[in-house]
Amino acid sequence: MSRTISAPQTPLPRRPRIAITLGDPSGIGPELVAKLLSNPVNHQRADVFLLADVSEVQSAINDAAGVNVSMSLDSVGPHSIQVLDDNSAARYPSKRGEISKASGERSIHQLKRALSLAQAGEIDAIVFAPLNKSSLKLAGMTEEDELRWFSNQLDFKGTTSEINIAGSLWTGRVTSHVGIEEVAPRITKESTLKSIELLNRLRWESGIECPRLGVCALNPHNGENGTFGRQEIDHIRPAVEEARKKGINVQGPFPCDTIFLKRQHFDGIVTMYHDQGQIAMKLLSFDGGVTVQGGLPIPIATPAHGTAFDIAGKNMAAVTSTQNAFDVAATMAERRILKDLRPVPDIMPGMAETLPKNNAGEVVITSCC
């Protein structure tokens, strides 16, 4: 049965606008961005704004063995990116392959510029190259991860989750960067339901009209009817049932040691804690993975790997994950632009029985499954 909306293809009124930062200047980020932007398909798909000084761009091009990047300081379009040079690189001296306060400060400086553009409505998505957490801490970042930092910078109080992507499978999680002893108390019906709703919305934004979601159990053997804990009975299953009442195509909970064996049946899986999903995802796709800062007012994506100091400047970095991050951000930006053009996305995807149709009957969801 169909999982898509039958609707006329509405042309977007404009191209998505994407801001890109080089990430930690001491790592492979600049090389990756140069390789990404040397592909003309990318700036034909979106208006790309690169937050970097021209001197940094030239260094990045050199790291990538002299690739050709069409760029301008004054305009953006299908044939070139626009470099937003604020002549600030000299304030952040750093050395290749080394953790430093200056590298962290440089990363934060450009991310703040990108967020300012987002808040001003001048861009639709952000892609950032890999960051180094130690350098960020030296630079004053006190949050447990970048997602919390973004939330604080945007003063955003809504539901967020780090989303991990391996191929066509996305995972969200109810708890993230907390000690394992803190996980069980944080698994509630409310927190689980919010995570299901968020992953459902993000999968719609990624291009799937009616996402199929699965939910992990917390305890071994799905709790064995309360023998190994009651989270599945008291919280997780009630959250799944509530989500289904809202029209979300979700199933579970499933034992976490088998759910990924059934991954072909799901577009997204909600896990209960960090490593429950991350171990599986990195086994499935260590190369090519993407992380989305899910739930924020603007799509923000980054490659799932690190700064790889050991190969920085050696033209050995594979652009696959960075390209995937760009593609995800562009698609999500396009879908948000589309959402502003038609009423359908304002209805929870999957609500087949209650979805309104126009007088011509052009919009129909036939089934979720």
Side-chain angles (χ1 to χ4, degrees):
M1 290 181 285
S2 173
R3 294 175 48 239
T4 61
I5 292 181
S6 300
Q9 294 297 312
T10 305
L12 294 176
R14 59 177 176 80
R15 291 148 46 86
R17 303 160 301 179
I18 301 179
I20 297 180
T21 77
L22 299 177
D24 190 297
S26 298
I28 59 174
E31 175 189 329
L32 291 171
V33 171
K35 291 177 177 178
L36 175 78
L37 298 182
S38 69
N39 183 350
V41 173
N42 292 325
H43 40 83
Q44 289 165 8
R45 181 176 184 183
D47 289 338
V48 176
F49 301 90
L50 178 58
L51 279 68
D53 286 9
V54 170
S55 60
E56 294 174 301
V57 180
Q58 189 56 59
S59 177
I61 291 172
N62 293 339
D63 284 351
V67 297
N68 181 44
V69 177
S70 299
M71 57 183 175
S72 169
L73 294 175
D74 304 312
S75 62
V76 66
H79 303 295
S80 70
I81 67 167
Q82 183 173 352
V83 178
L84 301 183
D85 184 337
D86 68 349
N87 196 32
S88 62
R91 302 205 306 262
Y92 307 96
S94 59
K95 293 183 179 180
R96 181 170 290 152
E98 293 185 7
I99 294 169
S100 72
K101 178 181 178 182
S103 292
E105 289 175 337
R106 185 60 173 164
S107 303
I108 291 173
H109 171 76
Q110 299 293 27
L111 289 175
K112 285 184 175 180
R113 291 181 70 202
L115 291 176
S116 294
L117 291 173
Q119 290 174 308
E122 296 179 15
I123 59 170
D124 303 299
I126 296 170
V127 176
F128 64 92
L131 306 175
N132 184 280
K133 285 182 169 55
S134 296
S135 293
L136 294 174
K137 295 296 183 184
L138 290 175
M141 185 179 288
T142 58
E143 291 83 359
E144 62 198 50
D145 53 34
E146 294 92 329
L147 177 57
R148 305 294 168 239
W149 182 84
F150 282 120
S151 295
N152 289 339
Q153 292 294 311
L154 295 169
D155 195 27
F156 181 71
K157 307 302 183 184
T159 301
T160 59
S161 174
E162 182 179 288
I163 304 297
N164 300 106
I165 304 171
S168 61
L169 181 64
W170 291 39
T171 61
R173 47 189 185 249
V174 180
T175 68
S176 190
H177 295 107
V178 299
I180 199 70
E181 73 277 1
E182 297 181 46
V183 170
R186 299 189 184 204
I187 304 301
T188 65
K189 176 183 175 182
E190 180 182 27
S191 64
T192 305
L193 178 60
K194 286 182 177 180
S195 296
I196 293 170
E197 291 174 326
L198 176 59
L199 186 58
N200 186 63
R201 176 168 63 83
L202 293 174
R203 279 315 258 141
W204 183 90
E205 289 184 357
S206 73
I208 296 178
E209 296 293 349
C210 188
R212 305 164 302 167
L213 304 184
V215 178
C216 282
L218 172 67
N219 296 299
H221 302 178
N222 216 355
E224 281 203 5
N225 296 315
T227 302
F228 302 140
R230 292 191 55 86
Q231 283 81 9
E232 290 76 17
I233 296 170
D234 296 338
H235 302 293
I236 302 174
R237 189 173 300 281
V240 170
E241 292 171 352
E242 183 66 24
R244 289 179 67 86
K245 290 178 183 177
K246 293 186 173 188
I248 298 175
N249 182 21
V250 59
Q251 301 178 59
F254 296 102
C256 61
D257 59 352
T258 59
I259 188 171
F260 284 91
L261 298 176
K262 305 172 183 178
R263 61 187 181 276
Q264 71 272 20
H265 300 296
F266 302 115
D267 303 304
I269 294 175
V270 176
T271 64
M272 295 299 115
Y273 59 93
H274 185 278
D275 287 359
Q276 190 180 55
Q278 281 293 77
I279 292 172
M281 295 294 274
K282 290 187 176 182
L283 284 171
L284 290 172
S285 179
F286 188 79
D287 296 323
V290 174
T291 299
V292 170
Q293 312 297 317
L296 296 173
I298 182 171
I300 302 178
T302 187
H305 58 71
T307 47
F309 283 166
D310 57 321
I311 62 170
K314 299 180 180 179
N315 190 29
M316 295 172 61
V319 74
T320 307
S321 288
T322 307
Q323 181 64 64
N324 290 345
F326 179 88
D327 291 340
V328 167
T331 297
M332 295 180 75
E334 289 165 351
R335 297 283 282 184
R336 289 193 180 199
I337 294 170
L338 176 64
K339 183 177 179 179
D340 293 336
L341 297 181
R342 60 175 186 166
V344 176
D346 293 329
I347 306 299
M348 181 65 69
M351 295 188 69
E353 295 79 14
T354 60
L355 186 72
K357 303 176 181 63
N358 62 24
N359 291 334
E362 293 175 318
V363 179
V364 178
I365 291 183
T366 58
S367 174
C368 268
C369 308

